[in-house]
Amino acid sequence: MVFCKGQKVEVYRRSQDESWEPYMDELVGRHGFITDPDTRINDPDALVEVSLEDKGTFRLPQDCLRELEA
């Protein structure tokens, strides 16, 4: 899936990506929005920057994110 800046997302599961860190487990279930989708790279395996409500901004693997309806 291609994410766009400002798109609402949910961290809906633990990622299988090697960049996933144990502290990220507490982010599962959180909602936020894409702040930097790295569209220049256009790589589905690239990390995307997500701002999560009450948690801050993180670079997360795309396989743990799903789009929320606006």
Side-chain angles (χ1 to χ4, degrees):
M1 170 175 219
V2 177
F3 291 105
C4 302
K5 187 172 184 172
Q7 188 173 19
K8 293 181 180 182
V9 294
E10 174 187 21
V11 181
Y12 76 102
R13 67 175 182 176
R14 190 178 202 286
S15 175
Q16 300 302 310
D17 192 273
E18 64 187 28
S19 64
W20 188 265
E21 299 285 339
Y23 77 89
M24 294 176 174
D25 289 342
E26 72 180 51
L27 304 178
V28 175
R30 296 285 182 167
H31 294 183
F33 59 93
I34 303 293
T35 56
D36 181 6
D38 263 345
T39 53
R40 294 181 310 265
I41 297 173
N42 198 21
D43 179 359
D45 295 327
L47 301 179
V48 294
E49 192 169 279
V50 181
S51 181
L52 298 174
E53 296 172 356
D54 302 323
K55 282 293 185 183
T57 301
F58 301 88
R59 291 198 67 78
L60 298 173
Q62 296 180 43
D63 70 337
C64 69
L65 301 173
R66 69 176 163 201
E67 180 181 7
L68 292 176
E69 293 185 24

